[in-house]
Amino acid sequence: MKQSAIIKKILKKIKPYRLLLVGAILSAVASISLTLFIPVLIGTALDEIVGKGAVDFSDVAKILGYIAAAIVGVSVFQWTMNYFVNALSFKTVRDLRRDIFRKLNAVPLSYIDSHPHGDMISRVINDVDAVGDGLTQLFLQLFSGVVTIVGTLIFMLGIDWKIALTVVVLTPLSLFVAGFIGKMTHKNFTDQQLLQGDISSYVEEHVGNMRLVQAFSYEDRAQREFDEYNMRLYDVGFKAQFSGALANPSTRFVNAMVYAAVGIFGALSAIGGGISIGQLSCFLTYANQYTKPFNEVTGVLTQIQTALAAAGRVFELCEAQEESPDADKTEATNCRGDVSFEDVSFSYTPEKPLIQHFSLNVKSGSHVAIVGPTGCGKTTLINLLMRFYDVNSGKISVDGRDIRDYSRHDLRSRFGMVLQDSWLFEGTIMDNLRYGNENATDEQVILAAKSAYAHSFIRRMPQGYGTVISEGGGNLSQGQKQLLCIARAMLTNPEILILDEATSSIDTLTESRVQKAFAKMMKGRTAFVVAHRLSTIRESDVEFRVSVGQTGLLMKNDVFPTVLIWAIW
């Protein structure tokens, strides 16, 4: 993304806070005006000191009082300028972080699946912070710099236009140097932000799966791979920082030349009687203040370039295509639970066909078991049914209505889902169980926990249902986490139930009890059960077997009370 496009997007983001921008500009004008007035007062005071015995102390004292008042005014207006700039920056960053998180909730699941999670986390946290830091520095330097340049130029023209013209002619050299170095460093800073996202993904991936890393003795290899990422980041970062650091000393050298030229021409003018000693002192101060903003801007050029590169990554995510809108969809009422797949075809990538022309009718209250080898796509059916992915052709209907005619919220609220990978967040057990039904009473939560055979171990926890569990349920066993997820699904009281290897981490005794709870819960409800264990699907009415290259139908028999439906996969 081009820098100009990024800057336009940033300006659009700060537009709602233009009053803060106006306040910052007015504060900068007042602060810089008083700052520029101080050299005039100092020059006047110098002219009052003509020589020994010819000093007007009363005028000098009065001028010193004005200088003191001006210094107080400068301090006050600098504080207000900093306040407005920081408020503007923080509010913009808040909006960016809110927008990017809203986008993560709005993009299709395929986007989340196809992008490294650590990189997305880096964009939400590191990149947005970099944008905020860059905005603060840019606005502070920009506001004060522009006003300083304009103000000093006006004052210098008022004193001696010839010397002022010398300053104006030499100044573009600083702009040229800063612009050249800025273009040269942008790519390095962009690469640096990309590598930071990569290294965040790698660290997040390994820290989140440290048990497996240690179980397979992968620590040394992980360290070597991390060192490779880290060294690449070091190399790119060194080049970016080195090239960015060239800007400040380069512009300072040019500005020193400007100051020297002003000193020479000013001294010659003073000798010839064109200006007074006080005016020469004032002029030298202005020349220094005139070039100072160029030094300050180039001094933070590294941070600004980092902010632009980070903003490009943030806007790239913010502009990702969202799921198709469904605000105009009407809500369903009195869901019965009839489900049908009608000539459904689907593939994650066009070049790899997965489901082709698949049809299946499931009557309300039926229990469908989906079995097959690992990786054959059993969970894909669930993804399609829940509209995590949309079919490429054909349609899936619930109660005779295409699921794409329902709003996603309404459709998914009809389902209760227990996945093989249990997910819990940092919070109390009670809050985790209420995740799908925040209005549930304590009695209803406890009843659901009892039904899932989780009540006994919860009661043994230090604070019972008020016990705070860590992120991901790290202080619980895998079986305990899965029982909590089962209880959470039971609490939603759904019309259609989906169990994706829901008892894979539970011991045999507890599983038999949970199966009884499931049987009670599934009574009168349509249920889809993905499983490997035969015990999990023994009570199913229909068994849908996922296999490769086979099709057929085997009717119910006395040995195993299921209907076997084979599908082309």
Side-chain angles (χ1 to χ4, degrees):
M1 189 178 293
K2 294 183 178 179
Q3 286 193 30
S4 57
I6 295 172
I7 293 172
K8 288 180 181 178
K9 294 179 186 297
I10 292 175
L11 293 176
K12 186 177 179 180
K13 285 294 180 183
I14 68 177
K15 186 177 179 181
Y17 309 111
R18 51 187 175 271
L19 291 179
L20 292 174
L21 183 62
V22 171
I25 293 175
L26 293 177
S27 297
V29 170
S31 174
I32 301 302
S33 297
L34 290 174
T35 301
L36 296 178
F37 186 58
I38 292 175
V40 175
L41 295 175
I42 293 174
T44 304
L46 288 174
D47 287 336
E48 293 295 333
I49 306 173
V50 178
K52 185 177 180 180
V55 180
D56 191 336
F57 287 101
S58 61
D59 283 349
V60 170
K62 188 184 297 183
I63 292 172
L64 290 176
Y66 292 149
I67 292 174
I71 291 173
V72 172
V74 168
S75 301
V76 171
F77 286 116
Q78 281 186 341
W79 182 89
T80 57
M81 183 184 68
N82 285 328
Y83 172 81
F84 287 128
V85 167
N86 281 296
L88 174 66
S89 175
F90 294 157
K91 288 177 184 293
T92 303
V93 166
R94 178 199 62 190
D95 292 347
L96 274 176
R97 189 169 281 124
R98 180 187 60 203
D99 290 346
I100 197 172
F101 191 77
R102 186 201 63 79
K103 176 64 70 171
L104 290 175
N105 283 295
V107 296
L109 190 63
S110 57
Y111 183 90
I112 303 296
D113 290 342
S114 60
H115 289 76
H117 295 177
D119 181 66
M120 287 187 284
I121 293 172
S122 179
R123 297 190 194 209
V124 176
I125 299 174
N126 298 333
D127 289 340
V128 173
D129 282 343
V131 173
D133 293 340
L135 283 176
T136 301
Q137 292 298 323
L138 178 62
F139 287 142
L140 285 175
Q141 305 304 335
L142 181 64
F143 294 157
S144 60
V146 170
V147 177
T148 299
I149 291 170
V150 174
T152 51
L153 187 57
I154 293 173
F155 275 92
M156 285 189 294
L157 288 172
I159 297 173
D160 191 309
W161 67 270
K162 294 179 182 179
I163 303 177
L165 187 61
T166 303
V167 176
V168 173
V169 169
L170 294 176
T171 299
L173 290 175
S174 293
L175 296 176
F176 173 77
V177 170
F180 175 77
I181 294 176
K183 290 180 181 179
M184 182 178 65
T185 58
H186 180 69
K187 184 181 183 301
N188 289 331
F189 282 104
T190 301
D191 293 342
Q192 178 181 277
Q193 292 303 116
L194 289 173
L195 280 172
Q196 283 182 346
D198 291 341
I199 203 169
S200 296
S201 297
Y202 190 83
V203 172
E204 188 268 341
E205 188 177 63
H206 279 72
V207 171
N209 298 278
M210 188 55 69
R211 288 186 179 88
L212 286 177
V213 173
Q214 295 180 353
F216 287 95
S217 301
Y218 199 85
E219 297 95 322
D220 292 339
R221 283 177 291 175
Q223 184 64 51
R224 287 196 298 271
E225 291 174 2
F226 175 82
D227 288 342
E228 290 178 6
Y229 278 111
N230 202 28
M231 184 56 65
R232 287 167 56 196
L233 180 60
Y234 167 78
D235 291 338
V236 172
F238 179 83
K239 292 177 182 178
Q241 298 297 326
F242 179 79
S243 56
L246 290 175
N248 191 260
S250 300
T251 54
R252 282 185 180 275
F253 174 76
V254 175
N255 294 337
M257 292 173 57
V258 174
Y259 188 82
V262 170
I264 294 171
F265 285 109
L268 293 174
S269 179
I271 293 172
I275 58 175
S276 67
I277 297 300
Q279 288 177 321
L280 175 59
S281 171
C282 183
F283 215 111
L284 288 172
T285 303
Y286 285 148
N288 188 47
Q289 289 181 331
Y290 181 79
T291 57
K292 185 179 179 182
F294 300 107
N295 292 334
E296 291 175 343
V297 170
T298 53
V300 297
L301 182 63
T302 296
Q303 197 164 8
I304 293 172
Q305 289 293 334
T306 302
L308 289 174
R313 285 166 44 81
V314 170
F315 289 132
E316 181 185 5
L317 178 54
C318 287
E319 293 172 358
Q321 185 175 0
E322 299 183 4
E323 287 185 313
S324 56
D326 57 8
D328 58 339
K329 310 297 184 183
T330 57
E331 293 189 1
T333 56
N334 301 322
C335 180
R336 299 185 307 275
D338 293 328
V339 179
S340 67
F341 293 76
E342 302 175 29
D343 195 30
V344 169
S345 295
F346 172 78
S347 63
Y348 290 104
T349 55
E351 62 274 8
K352 294 182 179 179
L354 192 56
I355 300 176
Q356 295 180 326
H357 308 296
F358 168 62
S359 297
L360 175 68
N361 289 316
V362 179
K363 295 297 182 182
S364 174
S366 298
H367 302 162
V368 181
I370 306 174
V371 297
T374 299
C376 67
K378 301 183 296 297
T379 302
T380 299
L381 284 176
I382 305 305
N383 288 337
L384 295 177
L385 192 58
M386 295 285 289
R387 279 201 74 192
F388 295 144
Y389 291 83
D390 281 327
V391 298
N392 299 138
S393 63
K395 71 175 183 177
I396 302 174
S397 302
V398 173
D399 292 338
R401 182 179 169 190
D402 194 323
I403 60 175
R404 288 169 292 194
D405 293 335
Y406 295 103
S407 69
R408 291 182 179 84
H409 171 75
D410 184 43
L411 174 69
R412 292 166 185 168
S413 66
R414 308 287 169 178
F415 291 86
M417 195 171 185
V418 182
L419 301 175
Q420 180 178 6
D421 298 324
S422 52
W423 176 79
L424 300 170
F425 58 87
E426 184 175 359
T428 66
I429 291 177
M430 183 69 75
D431 290 338
N432 273 272
L433 294 179
R434 281 201 179 107
Y435 189 76
N437 184 3
E438 60 183 7
N439 297 320
T441 63
D442 291 353
E443 292 75 16
Q444 290 173 322
V445 173
I446 294 173
L447 180 61
K450 287 180 178 178
S451 299
Y453 294 90
H455 179 69
S456 58
F457 85 80
I458 294 175
R459 217 174 30 173
R460 295 193 297 270
M461 301 293 284
Q463 285 82 39
Y465 286 84
T467 301
V468 176
I469 57 179
S470 61
E471 180 184 357
N475 50 347
L476 299 174
S477 71
Q478 187 63 34
Q480 288 173 331
K481 289 190 287 186
Q482 205 158 35
L483 288 176
L484 291 180
C485 292
I486 293 170
R488 183 167 60 195
M490 289 181 171
L491 190 61
T492 62
N493 195 28
E495 288 90 350
I496 304 174
L497 186 64
I498 295 175
L499 307 176
D500 189 353
E501 292 290 349
T503 59
S504 60
S505 300
I506 300 175
D507 64 88
T508 305
L509 176 61
T510 304
E511 183 192 8
S512 65
R513 294 174 177 173
V514 172
Q515 290 299 338
K516 294 178 182 179
F518 276 152
K520 187 185 302 181
M521 181 182 179
M522 291 188 294
K523 189 174 182 180
R525 293 184 173 90
T526 304
F528 292 85
V529 183
V530 178
H532 290 110
R533 299 184 186 179
L534 294 180
S535 58
T536 307
I537 60 173
R538 192 177 299 277
E539 301 302 324
S540 300
D541 300 310
V542 177
E543 178 186 339
F544 167 55
R545 289 204 176 205
V546 179
S547 59
V548 179
Q550 300 186 43
T551 182
L553 176 66
L554 180 62
M555 299 304 294
K556 183 175 178 180
N557 56 51
D558 295 333
V559 178
F560 196 67
T562 60
V563 176
L564 303 179
I565 303 176
W566 298 72
I568 296 176
W569 203 267

